[in-house]
Amino acid sequence: MSISDALPLDVWILVERHTLLLDLAGAAEALRLANQALRRRGEPEAFRLRFCGARASAPSSVGLMLTALEPLPSLGERDWLILSGRRHPHPDDRPDGVSEREEDLRIERWLHREGSALLAGGQGRLLSICAGALLAARAGLLDGRQCTTHHESLDALRAAAPRADVQANRVFVLDGPLASSAGITAGIDLVLALIAEHCGEAIAASVAQVMVVYLRRGPQDPELSPMLAHRHHLHPALHRAQDAVCADPRADWTLARMAEAAHVTPRHLTRLFAQHGGTTPLDYLRAIRLELARREIARGVRPAQAALAAGFSSDQQLRRTRRRLTQSA
């Protein structure tokens, strides 16, 4: 790993006039909590939050002024840029002497230049939350890309980016360095997925627990990682057991050892998994290990090696587990 890879990523959040505050704050809080979880594990922070705009301050969607914004930057090849939605102008908005259209054009020109470079390669990412995808479309960044937005803005996005593959009824869509999400709180789901990719599933699960987020899944949504499933509850003992398994899925886990991590009896832990997780301790562990094996195989690792790396005794046990979980789903 190079020195630059060990440094935190600069995550730039663009703040326009009337930015939807929940779009911005939800993503920022998830990243802050990821840093907090990493510090608790004695690891360096992964993200450095930075806020930029066409001017030094801007009113948010709820009227709260957001100040001390940095100028529109030249982005590094590892940087992330987050675009959020904004509310429509209101008749009661007071003019401030700045042409809104002139400001929009300045942002679009900057975004076309910097966003094109992010999408061209390297390790950077462009994220859009809610109607932030419309800004990316106006900057000409979505041609040939899969993307989504708030359900009320889908037609507008198709009109603004006719050569984009606009996906409806999706919580979020990942297309290489471009990541887009549906309305408002779906931005938290998107950022959690990227935290999992960058920092590991255990950190993402910890953030989801603190934020009391139920990671949603609809009929056309991508499957959620098993490491983030069965976590839509508030029971601390069950979270302790799940955190321990996610942190070291390859360990020699028994019901007694999981119960010890949760500080409860094995019988009580079994009840907690059934009542709050909708599964059994053993099936939860199997699902976690199966996902690890799937990822190893996707990287080109042979099934026998992938099985051992995930904590299975053999590829035969891996196949039996996959068959069992598929039949019970």
Side-chain angles (χ1 to χ4, degrees):
M1 179 183 293
S2 67
I3 294 177
S4 63
D5 289 335
L7 296 174
L9 295 173
D10 278 330
V11 181
W12 292 91
I13 300 180
L14 176 65
V15 180
E16 299 181 276
R17 281 188 289 187
H18 313 307
T19 287
L20 293 175
L21 195 56
L22 190 55
D23 284 4
L24 182 156
E29 276 298 308
L31 295 166
R32 181 188 71 83
L33 289 169
N35 282 339
Q36 178 178 284
L38 288 166
R39 288 198 305 271
R40 283 199 301 266
R41 288 173 32 163
E43 299 179 19
E45 296 187 355
F47 308 105
R48 179 168 48 227
L49 291 172
R50 306 182 70 172
F51 302 87
C52 64
R55 47 184 174 163
S57 63
S60 70
S61 58
V62 297
L64 180 69
M65 287 296 297
L66 304 174
T67 62
L69 304 178
E70 297 186 58
L72 299 174
S74 295
L75 299 176
E77 63 176 10
R78 297 176 65 243
D79 291 359
W80 292 7
L81 174 63
I82 299 179
L83 311 176
S84 58
R86 64 178 185 178
R87 73 163 173 82
H88 298 298
H90 190 274
D92 292 338
D93 291 340
R94 289 180 294 180
D96 55 9
V98 178
S99 166
E100 188 161 347
R101 182 56 186 157
E102 179 182 337
E103 188 171 296
D104 287 349
L105 289 173
R106 180 185 169 199
I107 290 173
E108 288 170 21
R109 288 193 294 268
W110 166 80
L111 180 57
H112 175 76
R113 181 181 70 251
E114 299 297 329
S116 296
L118 277 184
L119 297 178
Q123 304 172 56
R125 277 195 178 277
L126 177 65
L127 288 67
S128 70
I129 299 173
C130 192
L134 293 174
L135 175 56
R138 292 195 299 271
L141 300 177
L142 301 185
D143 288 355
R145 297 277 185 178
Q146 289 188 341
C147 55
T148 193
T149 187
H150 190 279
H151 59 89
E152 292 182 350
S153 300
L154 288 168
D155 289 341
L157 182 58
R158 291 188 180 103
R163 289 192 290 275
D165 182 4
V166 178
Q167 303 279 309
N169 194 27
R170 298 289 295 276
V171 173
F172 59 83
V173 171
L174 301 177
D175 185 348
L178 176 68
S180 55
S181 72
I184 308 175
T185 56
I188 297 175
D189 294 294
L190 170 59
V191 173
L192 284 172
L194 298 181
I195 290 172
E197 180 181 297
H198 191 70
C199 304
E201 302 281 3
I203 295 295
S206 173
V207 173
Q209 178 185 349
V210 173
M211 297 186 79
V212 198
V213 173
Y214 171 35
L215 295 162
R216 296 155 296 172
R217 175 168 54 187
Q220 297 186 39
D221 296 336
E223 288 293 317
L224 293 175
S225 165
M227 290 193 177
L228 299 181
H230 308 292
R231 300 299 294 251
H232 49 287
H233 60 83
L234 300 176
H235 202 288
L238 183 52
H239 276 304
R240 284 194 294 269
Q242 291 173 314
D243 288 344
V245 170
C246 286
D248 190 10
R250 301 170 183 84
D252 184 18
W253 287 107
T254 62
L255 178 58
R257 185 173 178 181
M258 293 172 69
E260 182 181 355
H263 309 311
V264 297
T265 66
R267 179 177 295 182
H268 187 45
L269 182 63
T270 300
R271 285 197 296 265
L272 292 178
F273 263 102
Q275 181 179 353
H276 299 285
T279 187
T280 68
L282 184 55
D283 277 349
Y284 181 77
L285 174 63
R286 286 166 172 162
I288 298 296
R289 288 177 169 173
L290 192 61
E291 172 66 5
L292 285 177
R294 183 196 65 78
R295 294 183 184 185
E296 290 296 299
I297 292 171
R299 291 196 307 114
V301 176
R302 289 186 298 176
Q305 294 175 313
L308 295 177
F312 294 105
S313 61
S314 65
D315 57 340
Q316 185 178 13
Q317 186 188 38
L318 167 62
R319 290 194 299 271
R320 285 201 305 265
T321 299
R322 182 189 295 117
R323 187 162 53 247
R324 183 184 185 280
L325 292 183
T326 300
Q327 290 171 349
S328 62

